[in-house]
Amino acid sequence: DTGVSQDPRHKITKRGQNVTFRCDPISEHNRLYWYRQTLGQGPEFLTYFQNEAQLEKSRLLSDRFSAERPKGSFSTLEIQRTEQGDSAMYLCASSLSTGKETQYFGPGTRLLVL
Amino acid sequence: GQNIDQPTEMTATEGAIVQINCTYQTSGFNGLFWYQQHAGEAPTFLSYNVLDGLEEKGRFSSFLSRSKGYSYLLLKELQMKDSASYLCAVMDYGGSQGNLIFGKGTKLSVKP
């Protein structure tokens, strides 16, 4: 257990529905990242926050995706109008913006869109 | 462009030594990370290199050559529980950016 938690761990939804995932980082970490991982691939960066500011978004993050970190603590990732291609593991990681900036990953949310 | 290459699969015998190579081409460089990922689980941090040379941590060592864009992860005294995917990742910038660029991972199978 790295100290990063994610909820839910699994989500099955029908195409066109909206889903929201939550990530609680290690408490003293000011940086929070979202990645997506599909089978046989490494994680792909989606977006990241420093405190409550969203500093970078990947072009993978279409306008159906939105992420927030309202108080600089937990974060949510919402996918609107889900598509089958959104099926993946969504990983959250956190780090401290000093030193090695090692990112510690949560257990992930596995999304299946039917 | 950004590219990180590592072998797709490797097989080794329990008790042996295995070396997993990684080559990278990225816009910038602010450190190279190795993660271990068991099937269905999240990546767990193994090692970090930012300067050239070897970093040793128990049964695991990681080497970096920045001039060659090359790293390897060395696993000694292999155990069955080491069967997992090993991910090489580069942090391409520091400061305001810091996302990791991952390779596709090397699936290591340890046989008795």
Side-chain angles (χ1 to χ4, degrees):
Chain A
D1 183 0
T2 61
V4 180
S5 61
Q6 292 187 245
D7 184 68
R9 295 290 306 276
H10 302 274
K11 179 71 177 178
I12 300 174
T13 191
K14 292 183 179 179
R15 190 174 50 184
Q17 298 295 304
N18 299 344
V19 295
T20 300
F21 309 141
R22 177 181 170 123
C23 171
D24 287 88
I26 294 170
S27 58
E28 63 267 27
H29 284 184
N30 59 340
R31 288 188 171 174
L32 186 148
Y33 304 80
W34 285 99
Y35 292 85
R36 181 174 69 186
Q37 186 176 25
T38 53
L39 203 61
Q41 303 293 316
E44 296 174 295
F45 169 75
L46 293 178
T47 188
Y48 106 94
F49 294 83
Q50 178 151 318
N51 301 312
E52 64 275 6
Q54 188 173 17
L55 295 188
E56 190 178 355
K57 291 194 287 187
S58 163
R59 67 178 188 279
L60 291 176
L61 212 67
S62 76
D63 56 6
R64 297 185 296 106
F65 288 70
S66 62
E68 294 183 340
R69 195 183 183 196
K71 298 181 181 178
S73 57
F74 73 92
S75 174
T76 58
L77 178 70
E78 182 183 17
I79 309 174
Q80 296 182 326
R81 306 180 302 282
T82 52
E83 301 173 355
Q84 288 184 325
D86 297 331
S87 296
M89 173 80 92
Y90 289 84
L91 293 164
C92 173
S94 70
S95 71
L96 202 53
S97 61
T98 56
K100 292 190 297 187
E101 299 183 45
T102 300
Q103 295 182 24
Y104 294 92
F105 284 82
T109 295
R110 186 172 293 280
L111 173 67
L112 178 60
V113 181
L114 301 177
Chain B
Q2 318 274 45
N3 195 46
I4 298 180
D5 285 320
Q6 48 182 133
T8 304
E9 292 186 32
M10 297 183 72
T11 302
T13 304
E14 192 176 15
I17 299 173
V18 70
Q19 177 174 313
I20 303 174
N21 296 324
C22 170
T23 58
Y24 64 90
Q25 290 178 301
T26 54
S27 305
F29 181 84
N30 197 41
L32 187 142
F33 295 79
W34 284 94
Y35 285 83
Q36 180 190 61
Q37 187 174 30
H38 285 99
E41 298 182 9
T44 55
F45 169 72
L46 289 178
S47 69
Y48 167 77
N49 295 71
V50 67
L51 300 176
D52 289 353
L54 189 68
E55 294 281 341
E56 296 185 82
K57 191 189 292 186
R59 295 189 299 114
F60 294 71
S61 303
S62 56
F63 171 83
L64 175 67
S65 168
R66 289 172 297 170
S67 62
K68 295 181 180 178
Y70 168 70
S71 172
Y72 68 72
L73 180 70
L74 194 70
L75 293 78
K76 302 175 187 176
E77 302 169 16
L78 280 172
Q79 303 175 8
M80 299 298 289
K81 68 179 182 179
D82 297 329
S83 293
S85 283
Y86 290 86
L87 299 163
C88 173
V90 171
M91 182 177 288
D92 63 347
Y93 294 110
S96 63
Q97 298 175 299
N99 55 284
L100 294 173
I101 302 167
F102 282 87
K104 293 184 178 182
T106 299
K107 185 177 179 181
L108 174 66
S109 298
V110 180
K111 308 286 187 191

Short mmCIF file of all heavy atoms in Angstrom, two decimals, chain A residues 2 9 31 33 35 37 40-43 45 48 50 55-56 89 91 99-108 110, chain B residues 30 33 35 37 39-45 48 57 87 91 93-105:
data_model
loop_
_atom_site.label_atom_id
_atom_site.label_comp_id
_atom_site.label_asym_id
_atom_site.label_seq_id
_atom_site.Cartn_x
_atom_site.Cartn_y
_atom_site.Cartn_z
N THR A 2 0.76 2.07 -1.06
CA THR A 2 1.62 3.25 -1.19
C THR A 2 1.09 4.44 -0.41
O THR A 2 1.80 5.43 -0.23
CB THR A 2 1.74 3.67 -2.66
OG1 THR A 2 0.43 4.01 -3.15
CG2 THR A 2 2.33 2.55 -3.50
N ARG A 9 -12.70 0.76 -7.29
CA ARG A 9 -11.63 -0.05 -7.87
C ARG A 9 -12.05 -0.61 -9.22
O ARG A 9 -11.21 -0.84 -10.09
CB ARG A 9 -11.28 -1.20 -6.92
CG ARG A 9 -10.69 -0.75 -5.59
CD ARG A 9 -9.28 -0.16 -5.75
NE ARG A 9 -8.40 -1.09 -6.43
CZ ARG A 9 -7.75 -2.08 -5.82
NH1 ARG A 9 -7.86 -2.24 -4.51
NH2 ARG A 9 -6.96 -2.87 -6.52
N ARG A 31 1.68 17.28 -5.61
CA ARG A 31 1.44 17.00 -7.02
C ARG A 31 0.60 15.74 -7.17
O ARG A 31 0.81 14.76 -6.45
CB ARG A 31 2.75 16.84 -7.79
CG ARG A 31 3.46 18.16 -7.97
CD ARG A 31 4.65 18.05 -8.87
NE ARG A 31 5.18 19.37 -9.19
CZ ARG A 31 6.29 19.59 -9.87
NH1 ARG A 31 6.98 18.57 -10.34
NH2 ARG A 31 6.70 20.82 -10.10
N TYR A 33 -1.23 13.21 -10.29
CA TYR A 33 -1.22 12.87 -11.71
C TYR A 33 -2.31 11.84 -12.01
O TYR A 33 -2.59 10.97 -11.18
CB TYR A 33 0.13 12.24 -12.10
CG TYR A 33 1.34 13.08 -11.78
CD1 TYR A 33 1.86 13.12 -10.50
CD2 TYR A 33 1.99 13.80 -12.78
CE1 TYR A 33 2.98 13.87 -10.19
CE2 TYR A 33 3.11 14.56 -12.49
CZ TYR A 33 3.60 14.59 -11.20
OH TYR A 33 4.71 15.34 -10.91
N TYR A 35 -3.13 8.95 -15.02
CA TYR A 35 -2.64 8.19 -16.17
C TYR A 35 -3.71 7.20 -16.58
O TYR A 35 -4.57 6.81 -15.79
CB TYR A 35 -1.37 7.41 -15.81
CG TYR A 35 -0.14 8.22 -15.52
CD1 TYR A 35 0.09 8.75 -14.24
CD2 TYR A 35 0.82 8.46 -16.50
CE1 TYR A 35 1.22 9.49 -13.97
CE2 TYR A 35 1.97 9.19 -16.24
CZ TYR A 35 2.16 9.70 -14.96
OH TYR A 35 3.29 10.43 -14.69
N GLN A 37 -4.00 3.34 -18.55
CA GLN A 37 -3.22 2.20 -19.00
C GLN A 37 -4.13 1.16 -19.62
O GLN A 37 -5.12 0.74 -19.01
CB GLN A 37 -2.44 1.58 -17.83
CG GLN A 37 -1.48 0.47 -18.26
CD GLN A 37 -0.66 -0.06 -17.12
OE1 GLN A 37 -1.05 0.00 -15.96
NE2 GLN A 37 0.52 -0.61 -17.43
N GLY A 40 -1.17 -4.39 -22.03
CA GLY A 40 0.06 -4.53 -22.79
C GLY A 40 0.79 -3.22 -23.05
O GLY A 40 1.79 -3.21 -23.78
N GLN A 41 0.30 -2.15 -22.47
CA GLN A 41 0.94 -0.84 -22.65
C GLN A 41 1.38 -0.28 -21.32
O GLN A 41 0.88 -0.68 -20.27
CB GLN A 41 -0.06 0.14 -23.30
CG GLN A 41 -0.64 -0.32 -24.62
CD GLN A 41 0.40 -0.38 -25.71
OE1 GLN A 41 1.22 0.54 -25.85
NE2 GLN A 41 0.40 -1.45 -26.48
N GLY A 42 2.31 0.66 -21.38
CA GLY A 42 2.65 1.38 -20.16
C GLY A 42 1.62 2.47 -19.90
O GLY A 42 0.82 2.81 -20.78
N PRO A 43 1.61 3.02 -18.70
CA PRO A 43 0.68 4.12 -18.41
C PRO A 43 0.94 5.32 -19.33
O PRO A 43 2.09 5.62 -19.65
CB PRO A 43 1.02 4.48 -16.95
CG PRO A 43 1.63 3.24 -16.39
CD PRO A 43 2.38 2.62 -17.52
N PHE A 45 0.20 9.42 -19.76
CA PHE A 45 -0.13 10.61 -18.98
C PHE A 45 -1.41 11.28 -19.50
O PHE A 45 -1.60 11.43 -20.71
CB PHE A 45 1.04 11.59 -19.08
CG PHE A 45 0.76 12.97 -18.55
CD1 PHE A 45 0.69 13.19 -17.19
CD2 PHE A 45 0.55 14.03 -19.41
CE1 PHE A 45 0.44 14.47 -16.70
CE2 PHE A 45 0.31 15.30 -18.94
CZ PHE A 45 0.25 15.52 -17.58
N TYR A 48 -2.09 16.67 -14.85
CA TYR A 48 -1.52 16.75 -13.52
C TYR A 48 -1.79 18.08 -12.85
O TYR A 48 -2.04 19.09 -13.51
CB TYR A 48 -0.04 16.37 -13.54
CG TYR A 48 0.99 17.46 -13.38
CD1 TYR A 48 1.50 17.77 -12.13
CD2 TYR A 48 1.48 18.13 -14.48
CE1 TYR A 48 2.48 18.73 -11.98
CE2 TYR A 48 2.46 19.09 -14.35
CZ TYR A 48 2.97 19.38 -13.09
OH TYR A 48 3.94 20.34 -12.96
N GLN A 50 -0.64 20.71 -9.55
CA GLN A 50 0.21 21.11 -8.45
C GLN A 50 -0.68 21.91 -7.51
O GLN A 50 -1.19 22.96 -7.89
CB GLN A 50 1.41 21.94 -8.90
CG GLN A 50 2.26 22.38 -7.71
CD GLN A 50 3.71 22.56 -8.05
OE1 GLN A 50 4.30 21.76 -8.77
NE2 GLN A 50 4.30 23.62 -7.55
N LEU A 55 -1.96 21.98 -14.21
CA LEU A 55 -0.85 22.60 -14.93
C LEU A 55 -0.63 22.04 -16.33
O LEU A 55 -0.02 22.71 -17.16
CB LEU A 55 0.44 22.47 -14.13
CG LEU A 55 0.48 23.23 -12.80
CD1 LEU A 55 1.88 23.18 -12.20
CD2 LEU A 55 0.06 24.69 -13.00
N GLU A 56 -1.07 20.84 -16.58
CA GLU A 56 -0.83 20.26 -17.89
C GLU A 56 -1.89 19.23 -18.22
O GLU A 56 -2.35 18.50 -17.35
CB GLU A 56 0.56 19.61 -17.94
CG GLU A 56 0.97 19.19 -19.35
CD GLU A 56 2.36 18.59 -19.40
OE1 GLU A 56 3.05 18.57 -18.37
OE2 GLU A 56 2.75 18.12 -20.49
N MET A 89 -7.49 0.96 -17.41
CA MET A 89 -7.19 1.18 -16.01
C MET A 89 -6.81 2.66 -15.87
O MET A 89 -5.93 3.14 -16.59
CB MET A 89 -6.04 0.30 -15.55
CG MET A 89 -5.56 0.58 -14.14
SD MET A 89 -6.60 -0.19 -12.91
CE MET A 89 -5.73 -1.74 -12.73
N LEU A 91 -5.12 5.29 -13.51
CA LEU A 91 -4.19 5.31 -12.39
C LEU A 91 -3.98 6.74 -11.91
O LEU A 91 -3.84 7.66 -12.71
CB LEU A 91 -2.84 4.73 -12.81
CG LEU A 91 -2.81 3.24 -13.14
CD1 LEU A 91 -1.55 2.91 -13.91
CD2 LEU A 91 -2.89 2.42 -11.88
N GLY A 99 13.19 17.33 -4.56
CA GLY A 99 14.00 16.11 -4.61
C GLY A 99 13.71 15.27 -5.83
O GLY A 99 13.58 15.77 -6.93
N LYS A 100 13.59 13.97 -5.62
CA LYS A 100 13.46 13.05 -6.73
C LYS A 100 12.10 13.11 -7.42
O LYS A 100 11.96 12.65 -8.53
CB LYS A 100 13.68 11.61 -6.24
CG LYS A 100 15.10 11.33 -5.81
CD LYS A 100 15.33 9.84 -5.58
CE LYS A 100 14.50 9.28 -4.47
NZ LYS A 100 14.88 7.86 -4.17
N GLU A 101 11.11 13.66 -6.76
CA GLU A 101 9.75 13.74 -7.31
C GLU A 101 9.24 12.36 -7.70
O GLU A 101 8.54 12.21 -8.70
CB GLU A 101 9.71 14.67 -8.52
CG GLU A 101 10.12 16.10 -8.21
CD GLU A 101 9.99 17.01 -9.41
OE1 GLU A 101 8.98 16.94 -10.11
OE2 GLU A 101 10.94 17.79 -9.66
N THR A 102 9.59 11.35 -6.91
CA THR A 102 9.10 10.01 -7.19
C THR A 102 7.59 9.98 -7.12
O THR A 102 7.00 10.49 -6.17
CB THR A 102 9.68 9.01 -6.19
OG1 THR A 102 11.11 9.03 -6.30
CG2 THR A 102 9.18 7.60 -6.45
N GLN A 103 6.97 9.39 -8.13
CA GLN A 103 5.52 9.27 -8.15
C GLN A 103 5.11 7.93 -7.58
O GLN A 103 5.61 6.89 -8.00
CB GLN A 103 5.01 9.43 -9.59
CG GLN A 103 5.29 10.82 -10.13
CD GLN A 103 4.77 11.04 -11.53
OE1 GLN A 103 3.84 10.37 -11.99
NE2 GLN A 103 5.35 12.00 -12.22
N TYR A 104 4.16 7.97 -6.65
CA TYR A 104 3.63 6.76 -6.03
C TYR A 104 2.21 6.57 -6.52
O TYR A 104 1.39 7.48 -6.46
CB TYR A 104 3.67 6.89 -4.50
CG TYR A 104 5.09 6.96 -3.99
CD1 TYR A 104 5.72 8.19 -3.81
CD2 TYR A 104 5.82 5.80 -3.74
CE1 TYR A 104 7.04 8.26 -3.37
CE2 TYR A 104 7.13 5.86 -3.29
CZ TYR A 104 7.74 7.09 -3.12
OH TYR A 104 9.04 7.16 -2.69
N PHE A 105 1.94 5.36 -7.01
CA PHE A 105 0.68 5.08 -7.66
C PHE A 105 -0.35 4.46 -6.72
O PHE A 105 -0.01 3.67 -5.83
CB PHE A 105 0.89 4.13 -8.84
CG PHE A 105 1.50 4.79 -10.04
CD1 PHE A 105 2.87 5.00 -10.12
CD2 PHE A 105 0.70 5.23 -11.08
CE1 PHE A 105 3.43 5.64 -11.22
CE2 PHE A 105 1.24 5.86 -12.19
CZ PHE A 105 2.61 6.06 -12.26
N GLY A 106 -1.60 4.82 -6.97
CA GLY A 106 -2.70 4.15 -6.31
C GLY A 106 -3.02 2.85 -7.02
O GLY A 106 -2.42 2.53 -8.05
N PRO A 107 -4.00 2.10 -6.49
CA PRO A 107 -4.32 0.78 -7.05
C PRO A 107 -5.06 0.82 -8.38
O PRO A 107 -5.18 -0.19 -9.05
CB PRO A 107 -5.21 0.14 -5.96
CG PRO A 107 -5.82 1.30 -5.26
CD PRO A 107 -4.79 2.38 -5.29
N GLY A 108 -5.54 2.00 -8.76
CA GLY A 108 -6.21 2.13 -10.05
C GLY A 108 -7.71 1.87 -10.00
O GLY A 108 -8.21 1.21 -9.09
N ARG A 110 -10.43 0.26 -12.59
CA ARG A 110 -10.56 -0.43 -13.88
C ARG A 110 -11.95 -0.14 -14.44
O ARG A 110 -12.96 -0.49 -13.81
CB ARG A 110 -10.35 -1.93 -13.72
CG ARG A 110 -10.34 -2.67 -15.05
CD ARG A 110 -9.93 -4.12 -14.90
NE ARG A 110 -8.54 -4.27 -14.48
CZ ARG A 110 -7.49 -4.18 -15.28
NH1 ARG A 110 -7.66 -3.91 -16.55
NH2 ARG A 110 -6.28 -4.36 -14.81
N ASN B 30 14.96 14.50 -16.90
CA ASN B 30 15.08 14.88 -15.51
C ASN B 30 15.02 13.66 -14.61
O ASN B 30 14.51 13.73 -13.49
CB ASN B 30 14.01 15.90 -15.13
CG ASN B 30 14.34 16.63 -13.84
OD1 ASN B 30 15.49 17.01 -13.61
ND2 ASN B 30 13.35 16.81 -12.98
N PHE B 33 13.15 6.32 -14.12
CA PHE B 33 12.55 5.51 -13.07
C PHE B 33 12.29 4.09 -13.58
O PHE B 33 11.97 3.89 -14.75
CB PHE B 33 11.21 6.11 -12.63
CG PHE B 33 11.32 7.47 -11.98
CD1 PHE B 33 11.47 8.61 -12.75
CD2 PHE B 33 11.23 7.61 -10.61
CE1 PHE B 33 11.57 9.86 -12.17
CE2 PHE B 33 11.32 8.86 -10.00
CZ PHE B 33 11.49 9.98 -10.79
N TYR B 35 9.76 0.88 -12.49
CA TYR B 35 8.64 0.43 -11.69
C TYR B 35 8.39 -1.05 -11.95
O TYR B 35 8.62 -1.55 -13.05
CB TYR B 35 7.36 1.21 -12.05
CG TYR B 35 7.30 2.62 -11.52
CD1 TYR B 35 7.91 3.67 -12.20
CD2 TYR B 35 6.61 2.91 -10.35
CE1 TYR B 35 7.85 4.97 -11.72
CE2 TYR B 35 6.53 4.22 -9.86
CZ TYR B 35 7.16 5.23 -10.55
OH TYR B 35 7.08 6.52 -10.07
N GLN B 37 5.32 -3.92 -11.92
CA GLN B 37 3.86 -3.99 -11.94
C GLN B 37 3.41 -5.44 -12.07
O GLN B 37 3.64 -6.07 -13.12
CB GLN B 37 3.29 -3.15 -13.08
CG GLN B 37 1.77 -3.05 -13.06
CD GLN B 37 1.22 -2.11 -14.10
OE1 GLN B 37 1.80 -1.93 -15.17
NE2 GLN B 37 0.07 -1.49 -13.82
N ALA B 39 0.44 -8.24 -12.44
CA ALA B 39 -0.78 -8.23 -13.25
C ALA B 39 -1.97 -7.72 -12.45
O ALA B 39 -2.23 -8.20 -11.34
CB ALA B 39 -1.05 -9.63 -13.79
N GLY B 40 -2.66 -6.75 -13.00
CA GLY B 40 -3.86 -6.22 -12.36
C GLY B 40 -3.61 -5.27 -11.21
O GLY B 40 -4.55 -4.82 -10.56
N GLU B 41 -2.33 -4.96 -10.96
CA GLU B 41 -2.01 -4.07 -9.83
C GLU B 41 -1.36 -2.80 -10.34
O GLU B 41 -1.04 -2.66 -11.50
CB GLU B 41 -1.09 -4.79 -8.84
CG GLU B 41 -1.73 -6.02 -8.22
CD GLU B 41 -0.82 -6.70 -7.21
OE1 GLU B 41 0.24 -6.12 -6.86
OE2 GLU B 41 -1.17 -7.81 -6.78
N ALA B 42 -1.17 -1.85 -9.43
CA ALA B 42 -0.55 -0.58 -9.79
C ALA B 42 0.97 -0.72 -9.84
O ALA B 42 1.54 -1.61 -9.22
CB ALA B 42 -0.93 0.49 -8.76
N PRO B 43 1.64 0.14 -10.59
CA PRO B 43 3.10 0.14 -10.59
C PRO B 43 3.65 0.52 -9.21
O PRO B 43 3.11 1.41 -8.54
CB PRO B 43 3.46 1.24 -11.60
CG PRO B 43 2.24 1.42 -12.43
CD PRO B 43 1.08 1.13 -11.53
N THR B 44 4.71 -0.15 -8.79
CA THR B 44 5.39 0.19 -7.55
C THR B 44 6.82 0.61 -7.86
O THR B 44 7.49 -0.01 -8.68
CB THR B 44 5.39 -0.96 -6.53
OG1 THR B 44 5.96 -2.12 -7.15
CG2 THR B 44 4.00 -1.29 -6.08
N PHE B 45 7.27 1.66 -7.21
CA PHE B 45 8.57 2.27 -7.46
C PHE B 45 9.70 1.32 -7.07
O PHE B 45 9.70 0.73 -6.00
CB PHE B 45 8.66 3.56 -6.67
CG PHE B 45 10.04 4.18 -6.63
CD1 PHE B 45 10.57 4.78 -7.76
CD2 PHE B 45 10.79 4.14 -5.48
CE1 PHE B 45 11.84 5.33 -7.73
CE2 PHE B 45 12.06 4.70 -5.43
CZ PHE B 45 12.58 5.30 -6.56
N TYR B 48 15.53 4.97 -9.10
CA TYR B 48 15.61 6.27 -9.76
C TYR B 48 17.07 6.57 -10.07
O TYR B 48 17.95 6.41 -9.22
CB TYR B 48 15.05 7.34 -8.82
CG TYR B 48 15.33 8.77 -9.21
CD1 TYR B 48 14.60 9.38 -10.21
CD2 TYR B 48 16.30 9.52 -8.54
CE1 TYR B 48 14.82 10.71 -10.54
CE2 TYR B 48 16.53 10.85 -8.87
CZ TYR B 48 15.79 11.43 -9.87
OH TYR B 48 16.01 12.74 -10.20
N LYS B 57 20.23 -1.35 -4.81
CA LYS B 57 19.27 -1.41 -3.71
C LYS B 57 18.88 -2.86 -3.51
O LYS B 57 17.99 -3.38 -4.17
CB LYS B 57 18.04 -0.55 -4.06
CG LYS B 57 17.10 -0.32 -2.90
CD LYS B 57 15.79 0.34 -3.34
CE LYS B 57 15.97 1.75 -3.81
NZ LYS B 57 14.66 2.39 -4.11
N LEU B 87 8.58 -1.60 -15.83
CA LEU B 87 8.33 -0.41 -16.63
C LEU B 87 9.49 0.58 -16.48
O LEU B 87 9.86 0.93 -15.36
CB LEU B 87 7.05 0.29 -16.18
CG LEU B 87 5.76 -0.53 -16.30
CD1 LEU B 87 4.66 0.10 -15.47
CD2 LEU B 87 5.32 -0.58 -17.76
N MET B 91 11.26 11.04 -16.81
CA MET B 91 10.65 12.34 -16.52
C MET B 91 11.32 13.34 -17.45
O MET B 91 12.54 13.56 -17.36
CB MET B 91 10.88 12.73 -15.07
CG MET B 91 10.23 14.05 -14.70
SD MET B 91 10.42 14.47 -12.97
CE MET B 91 9.32 13.29 -12.21
N TYR B 93 10.81 16.66 -18.04
CA TYR B 93 11.14 18.01 -17.58
C TYR B 93 10.95 18.11 -16.10
O TYR B 93 10.15 17.41 -15.51
CB TYR B 93 10.23 19.07 -18.24
CG TYR B 93 10.40 19.24 -19.71
CD1 TYR B 93 9.41 18.82 -20.57
CD2 TYR B 93 11.54 19.81 -20.24
CE1 TYR B 93 9.53 18.96 -21.93
CE2 TYR B 93 11.67 19.95 -21.60
CZ TYR B 93 10.67 19.53 -22.44
OH TYR B 93 10.81 19.68 -23.79
N GLY B 94 11.64 19.01 -15.48
CA GLY B 94 11.37 19.31 -14.09
C GLY B 94 10.60 20.60 -13.99
O GLY B 94 10.03 21.08 -14.96
N GLY B 95 10.58 21.18 -12.88
CA GLY B 95 9.91 22.46 -12.70
C GLY B 95 8.40 22.34 -12.80
O GLY B 95 7.80 21.58 -12.07
N SER B 96 7.81 23.04 -13.74
CA SER B 96 6.34 23.07 -13.81
C SER B 96 5.78 21.81 -14.44
O SER B 96 4.60 21.55 -14.34
CB SER B 96 5.89 24.27 -14.63
OG SER B 96 6.38 24.16 -15.96
N GLN B 97 6.60 21.05 -15.11
CA GLN B 97 6.13 19.79 -15.67
C GLN B 97 6.79 18.65 -14.92
O GLN B 97 7.75 18.82 -14.20
CB GLN B 97 6.48 19.73 -17.16
CG GLN B 97 5.80 20.81 -17.96
CD GLN B 97 6.25 20.80 -19.40
OE1 GLN B 97 7.42 20.98 -19.68
NE2 GLN B 97 5.33 20.57 -20.31
N GLY B 98 6.27 17.48 -15.11
CA GLY B 98 6.90 16.38 -14.40
C GLY B 98 6.25 15.06 -14.66
O GLY B 98 6.41 14.12 -13.88
N ASN B 99 5.47 14.99 -15.76
CA ASN B 99 4.85 13.72 -16.02
C ASN B 99 5.88 12.72 -16.51
O ASN B 99 6.91 13.08 -17.07
CB ASN B 99 3.72 13.85 -17.04
CG ASN B 99 4.18 14.49 -18.33
OD1 ASN B 99 4.37 15.69 -18.39
ND2 ASN B 99 4.40 13.68 -19.36
N LEU B 100 5.61 11.45 -16.27
CA LEU B 100 6.47 10.38 -16.70
C LEU B 100 6.04 9.85 -18.07
O LEU B 100 4.86 9.74 -18.36
CB LEU B 100 6.43 9.23 -15.69
CG LEU B 100 7.01 9.53 -14.31
CD1 LEU B 100 6.73 8.38 -13.36
CD2 LEU B 100 8.49 9.81 -14.40
N ILE B 101 7.04 9.56 -18.89
CA ILE B 101 6.79 8.89 -20.16
C ILE B 101 7.23 7.45 -19.98
O ILE B 101 8.40 7.19 -19.68
CB ILE B 101 7.58 9.55 -21.30
CG1 ILE B 101 7.20 11.03 -21.39
CG2 ILE B 101 7.29 8.85 -22.62
CD1 ILE B 101 8.14 11.81 -22.27
N PHE B 102 6.31 6.54 -20.16
CA PHE B 102 6.57 5.12 -19.89
C PHE B 102 6.84 4.35 -21.17
O PHE B 102 6.27 4.62 -22.23
CB PHE B 102 5.36 4.48 -19.21
CG PHE B 102 5.23 4.78 -17.74
CD1 PHE B 102 4.57 5.91 -17.31
CD2 PHE B 102 5.77 3.92 -16.80
CE1 PHE B 102 4.45 6.19 -15.96
CE2 PHE B 102 5.65 4.18 -15.45
CZ PHE B 102 4.99 5.32 -15.03
N GLY B 103 7.71 3.35 -21.05
CA GLY B 103 7.79 2.33 -22.08
C GLY B 103 6.61 1.37 -21.93
O GLY B 103 5.80 1.50 -21.01
N LYS B 104 6.55 0.40 -22.83
CA LYS B 104 5.41 -0.52 -22.81
C LYS B 104 5.56 -1.60 -21.74
O LYS B 104 4.62 -2.32 -21.46
CB LYS B 104 5.23 -1.17 -24.18
CG LYS B 104 4.81 -0.18 -25.25
CD LYS B 104 4.54 -0.87 -26.57
CE LYS B 104 4.05 0.16 -27.59
NZ LYS B 104 3.73 -0.47 -28.90
N GLY B 105 6.75 -1.68 -21.17
CA GLY B 105 6.96 -2.67 -20.12
C GLY B 105 7.57 -3.95 -20.64
O GLY B 105 7.36 -4.34 -21.80
#
